[in-house]
Amino acid sequence: MKAYNETWLRNRQIVRQSERWQRRGLLSAEQLGRIRTEHPVGFRQTNGFVEIGLFVFTMVAVSGLFFLLVSLFDPLLNINMLSLATGLIVTVLLHVLLREKHFYRSGIDNALVLVTTGLVAAGLGGLLPDGLPTWAICLATLPILLTSVWYYGDLLVTFAAFAAFCTAVVDFTLELPAGQAILPFVGMAAGGGLYALARHYDNRPGLLYWEDDFTLLEWLALALLILSSNYFVVRTVNFWLLDTRSPEPPEIALGWLFWLLTFLIPAGLLVLGLRKRDRPLLIMSFLGLAGALSALRYYHPLFSLETYVALNGFLLILLAGFIIRFLKTPRHGFTDQPDEESPDDLLFAPETLTVVQSAAPGLSHNTDELRFGEGDFGGGGAGEKY
């Protein structure tokens, strides 16, 4: 059982894919209309700007409700019980709106999901014994966040769960005797492991409800992997963890290894992205290489910052122009033409293809029976053969 109608989500995916095919001329407008009729989507959605406005307005309104309850019942209930009570009220309100208004990521439900999850997590966290380390509090909060992700599939809660997991890992590692020295390697292992996990379960038909959550987790895990291996980040974090700080960050142990990892990991992700034709891998690898070159320039400057920025811009323009011209003709699965987020991937999705074929038996295709010369003009006063 989930908060949102899974059948509507599946229909929404089918309709979106059919709209892509219709724009590419693979389906007629009539066939698309039949698919929309036979696969209704009852969600109420808004555009991005309205969604942001509704999200902010709902957050303000719920915050006002919370502070009103605090001011009214503060002598009777402590802050933890008030958080749980407000979370319960917001949960009831959220489910009434989902049932009656059929909101789906419209800003209002996003804000209510975030608030109710945060209030419940804060209320239960406040009931924990005093003196617990940060990593223990994060681990105790993590099941609440994951339960919310499972039930609502909300992206903001997914981000909060990722942040809680990373905080727990970092804080626990720093409590170990050699925690500061192994922290970058723990971060790389956590990033790589989370990426492999998200990649393993991404794009599975049975997990469509959490498809966006797995995609977000891929981006976050790749960012964690690249940041944990970047020499500048490792040296700066090491500096801020020192008890006594010198004016300049000191050299770190195994600095040569981190210089290698700064370039090797983004380069490895780039090779993997080219082989798998994976967009998050390609984008994050280029960002990682840009960060590596920036770190190299920071510690070993050859030019002034102005010269460096101008030279980079000039080289990037030349590189972009060359790649655009080179990919005018598709080469090895890459092209400069927009592809609307790889819609052809679903051409091989048996469920979508079967649905479209059943709803649109006259799927556009060329046949040998198509011949010119036997039709009649029937409108506009025309009467000649053609």
Side-chain angles (χ1 to χ4, degrees):
M1 183 179 179
K2 311 292 189 306
Y4 300 104
N5 190 315
E6 292 185 81
T7 302
W8 287 353
L9 281 176
R10 194 173 294 107
N11 291 348
R12 176 170 165 265
Q13 188 79 357
I14 291 171
V15 170
R16 282 186 172 181
Q17 181 59 32
S18 302
E19 289 172 346
R20 292 192 186 105
W21 289 353
Q22 197 270 334
R23 284 194 294 271
R24 299 182 64 178
L26 299 174
L27 290 176
S28 66
E30 292 77 13
Q31 291 168 337
L32 178 60
R34 289 182 57 187
I35 292 171
R36 283 173 173 163
T37 303
E38 296 178 10
H39 298 83
V41 180
F43 291 129
R44 178 179 296 183
Q45 291 184 277
T46 57
N47 63 54
F49 294 105
V50 176
E51 181 180 338
I52 293 173
L54 292 174
F55 180 86
V56 174
F57 174 79
T58 307
M59 291 293 289
V60 172
V62 176
S63 300
L65 171 66
F66 176 70
F67 289 115
L68 176 64
L69 293 176
V70 170
S71 62
L72 291 177
F73 300 100
D74 186 40
L76 302 176
L77 299 172
N78 61 31
I79 191 67
N80 298 323
M81 298 306 297
L82 284 172
S83 297
L84 291 174
T86 310
L88 180 61
I89 295 173
V90 175
T91 301
V92 173
L93 174 63
L94 171 61
H95 281 255
V96 170
L97 290 176
L98 292 181
R99 188 180 65 249
E100 300 296 331
K101 301 297 182 182
H102 305 304
F103 288 132
Y104 179 70
R105 296 183 180 176
S106 61
I108 297 175
D109 55 327
N110 294 101
L112 293 180
V113 169
L114 186 64
V115 168
T116 190
T117 305
L119 288 174
V120 172
L124 294 178
L127 299 177
L128 296 173
D130 295 334
L132 284 178
T134 303
W135 62 264
I137 297 174
C138 290
L139 287 183
T141 307
L142 198 54
I144 302 171
L145 299 176
L146 293 178
T147 302
S148 179
V149 171
W150 173 81
Y151 190 65
Y152 297 106
D154 189 82
L155 294 179
L156 290 174
V157 181
T158 302
F159 180 82
F162 176 82
F165 173 77
C166 291
T167 303
V169 169
V170 170
D171 189 66
F172 179 78
T173 304
L174 290 178
E175 288 194 0
L176 299 176
Q180 190 169 338
I182 66 173
L183 182 60
F185 301 101
V186 173
M188 285 186 274
L194 288 176
Y195 175 76
L197 179 69
R199 186 69 183 168
H200 181 70
Y201 290 105
D202 192 14
N203 291 327
R204 291 198 175 190
L207 302 177
L208 177 64
Y209 195 82
W210 303 280
E211 182 183 30
D212 293 339
D213 302 278
F214 284 119
T215 302
L216 175 63
L217 184 58
E218 284 184 31
W219 288 91
L220 295 174
L222 287 174
L224 176 62
L225 174 62
I226 292 173
L227 289 175
S228 300
S229 61
N230 187 280
Y231 177 85
F232 173 81
V233 175
V234 173
R235 185 169 172 175
T236 303
V237 172
N238 180 72
F239 171 69
W240 284 105
L241 292 175
L242 294 175
D243 295 329
T244 56
R245 301 187 188 119
S246 55
E248 290 294 327
E251 180 60 82
I252 56 176
L254 301 175
W256 61 272
L257 176 60
F258 285 104
W259 271 121
L260 283 177
L261 294 175
T262 299
F263 286 91
L264 285 181
I265 287 185
L269 294 179
L270 177 60
V271 173
L272 193 61
L274 290 173
R275 291 183 60 185
K276 293 183 174 294
R277 296 168 180 80
D278 186 275
R279 187 165 301 180
L281 275 175
L282 290 173
I283 293 176
M284 292 305 296
S285 63
F286 280 119
L287 291 177
L289 288 173
L293 292 175
S294 299
L296 182 64
R297 186 267 160 197
Y298 182 82
Y299 291 107
H300 304 286
L302 298 177
F303 313 104
S304 65
L305 180 60
E306 294 79 6
T307 305
Y308 175 76
V309 172
L311 185 61
N312 275 354
F314 178 71
L315 292 177
L316 286 175
I317 290 173
L318 288 181
L319 180 63
F322 170 75
I323 292 177
I324 289 173
R325 289 181 61 84
F326 182 72
L327 294 179
K328 284 289 185 185
T329 302
R331 301 172 189 273
H332 308 292
F334 291 93
T335 177
D336 181 52
Q337 301 299 321
D339 61 350
E340 298 188 35
E341 299 182 352
S342 305
D344 287 342
D345 288 347
L346 289 180
L347 282 168
F348 303 100
E351 181 186 8
T352 305
L353 199 54
T354 302
V355 166
V356 170
Q357 286 177 338
S358 62
L363 190 66
S364 300
H365 62 280
N366 296 324
T367 63
D368 294 333
E369 290 77 18
L370 181 63
R371 293 286 187 273
F372 292 102
E374 297 181 359
D376 292 302
F377 285 113
E384 296 293 334
K385 296 284 186 182
Y386 67 96

